[in-house]
Amino acid sequence: MDYLKTVVPSQLMAERGANLVVINPGSANVRMGFASQDVPFNIPHCIARHKNDASRLLVRDQRLNCRAGSSHNAEREKSYDIIASLLNIPFLEEVSSSENPSLPPKMGRVDSLSSQQNKDDSKLTWTDVMDKSIKSSTSIERPVHSDADEDPSQSTSEDGNRPNAEESKYKEMIFGEDALKIPPSASYCLNRPIRRGHFNISQNYPSHQVLEDLRTIWNWMLTEKLHINPKDRNLYSVILVLGETFDNREIKEMLSIVLGDLGFSTAVVHQEAIAAAFGNGLSTTCVVNIGAQVTQVVCVEDGVALPHTALALPYGGDDISRCLLWVQHRHRTWPSFKTDPMKRPMDMLMLNKIKETYSQIRSGSFDAVAPVHSYEHEKSSGHQKTRLSALSVPPMGLLYPRLLIPEEYPPPPRPWFQDCDDMLEDTWQTNDGLSGNGGLGAWDSYQMLPTRLKKFDNIGLIEAIVSSVLSTGRVDLQRKLFCSIQLVGGVALTAGLAPVVEQRVLSTIPSNQPVERVVVLQSGRNPLFIPWKGGVILGVLDTTRDAWIHREDWIKNGVHVGSGRKYKDSYFLQSQVMCYYNT
């Protein structure tokens, strides 16, 4: 303890963080890095595998398409009208009547640009899917993709043998953002192992393939990004920072990957909410983690997550991006490009970039001129500078989720839920050998039984925060939590979101609750990396290591007595964290 009071943080990181790898997997991205790094590598959590069967779909994504029915569209229109009224955004008919009748309604000024004019830095480029290698040949053979009219005498030596030539073949696997930018004509299958905070298991994407893709993606990052030789991984330990949406079997499988398949010596699991709290030097806070596909709300008291306060909302930044496209189509500002983020990952990348650059919450009609690209055709991708309208509306979908229409996924096959090994929670058994949840196995009838995390489809972010905090039941704790709301995740960077959350939460708290103030704390770090950084701090300051799982024990027993999710002496750990921040 005295050492922690005097040591410089950078020295502590160098001493204890060099052999610690922190992995924070999410639905859209995975953040991975050494504990000694300032920020992790943030890579799209996907893999594309080459398929020789040309009859299959080309760039295929493992998800169902979103098909909004008439009832969904009616609810979405109603939500839009409510948001437009609150933000003082003119309705379409008001805008149309005030504009020049000769112009198309709400088209604004569009500057068309040729492909040779002003090359735009925001344009995405297609991935080169060919793996070129130098090959020496002793026979006269044509190289792949060679010109049929090429003179053979130009490519052979005097003795009739070919010199070293370049051989091209398709890359077997492509990872990260490159996998999202594969040309439509290339025969690849795009897989995303995690969806909406769970393994993306379906009839077309079996569990063994999901686990294999996870292992392959993480192994690629460890080798190519962190440069850790597989033979040396027994010298390293792993900290898994996992969201509260993952169930116990999913956590068990990820531990098996890092300890069994990837060969790390020890591992520990930390809750994302606790890591986010310590990432900002807090011990008591309401963590609101707005990710790409899931929003989680969890209250933390004295370094311990309160399980009855945890809520999961099935929407996030990706839904805001798709809503941005819908709003532009509604205002007739989007160019005549066939933009389909559900079928073309490149379109989703473009929408995410536009959202991150221009979207914000503010009163009044907020427009911006942005370059919009077309990725419908590989060789001729046109682009236009377009005036985008009502950019404040899409992020307000967090408060009015009926504005957002999530994708639908097939349910996982039932055999996936037959594992009754509850690894991270203390369970009790009845005399008949069944678990104490009404006489049903831990994974039986999974679709009907409530999980650890309460899930709500139609409540907004404000209602979720208020419900989570009030469920603590103690006035003194509620006051602390309402004055310590922490927004993390990529969407937390949205300008104007924090003031809106403060104002709306305060007005939503019932009048009989003695709460006078609501404060959203400003983060000193990038909100996207706060949970990862919290995992770094927890790993570096954890000197006891009593909750760490050893590879030999895991392979031998498959279970571990104890939990990496809680600390026996949370007050001691808090003092360690505060010493870290004060030095």
Side-chain angles (χ1 to χ4, degrees), residues 5 44 113 118 127 298 383 421 436 452 549 569:
K5 290 182 179 180
L113 298 176
N118 299 330
T127 297
V298 184
H383 60 284
D421 182 13
R452 242 179 341 109
I549 306 170
D569 192 351

Side-chain angles (χ1 to χ4, degrees), residues 1 4 274 277-278 280-285 300-305 480 537-538 541-542 567-582:
M1 187 64 183
L4 292 177
I274 295 178
F278 285 122
N280 265 335
L282 303 171
S283 61
T284 299
T285 180
V300 177
E301 180 186 15
D302 295 331
V304 177
K480 290 182 180 178
I537 295 172
L538 290 172
L541 297 181
D542 182 13
Y567 280 89
K568 296 178 181 179
D569 192 351
S570 60
Y571 290 98
F572 174 70
L573 186 62
Q574 292 167 33
S575 62
Q576 289 180 306
V577 172
M578 296 315 297
C579 288
Y580 169 81
Y581 272 91
N582 292 331

Side-chain angles (χ1 to χ4, degrees), residues 292-401:
Q293 299 175 12
V294 177
T295 297
Q296 303 168 68
V297 182
V298 184
C299 293
V300 177
E301 180 186 15
D302 295 331
V304 177
L306 305 179
H308 59 281
T309 67
L311 293 88
L313 309 174
Y315 48 79
D318 284 356
D319 303 286
I320 295 175
S321 296
R322 291 190 291 111
C323 181
L324 184 147
L325 178 63
W326 175 82
V327 169
Q328 303 315 310
H329 281 310
R330 188 180 187 277
H331 281 260
R332 305 179 192 176
T333 60
W334 198 257
S336 58
F337 300 148
K338 292 184 179 180
T339 305
D340 191 347
M342 299 300 296
K343 293 183 179 180
R344 279 194 299 273
M346 282 278 272
D347 288 340
M348 192 67 191
L349 283 175
M350 177 186 63
L351 288 172
N352 278 330
K353 290 181 180 294
I354 293 176
K355 175 199 66 179
E356 294 165 2
T357 305
Y358 300 100
S359 185
Q360 59 179 280
I361 300 178
R362 56 186 291 184
S363 181
S365 181
F366 172 58
D367 298 354
V369 176
V372 176
H373 297 268
S374 171
Y375 299 101
E376 182 180 2
H377 305 290
E378 303 172 25
K379 297 181 179 179
S380 59
S381 56
H383 60 284
Q384 291 183 353
K385 283 188 175 179
T386 305
R387 191 185 75 189
L388 304 180
S389 299
L391 292 171
S392 297
V393 172
M396 286 292 289
L398 297 172
L399 281 61
Y400 298 90

Side-chain angles (χ1 to χ4, degrees), residues 148-164:
D149 297 326
E150 183 181 0
D151 186 1
S153 63
Q154 300 299 322
S155 58
T156 58
S157 59
E158 295 180 356
D159 58 0
N161 293 333
R162 282 185 50 80
N164 289 343

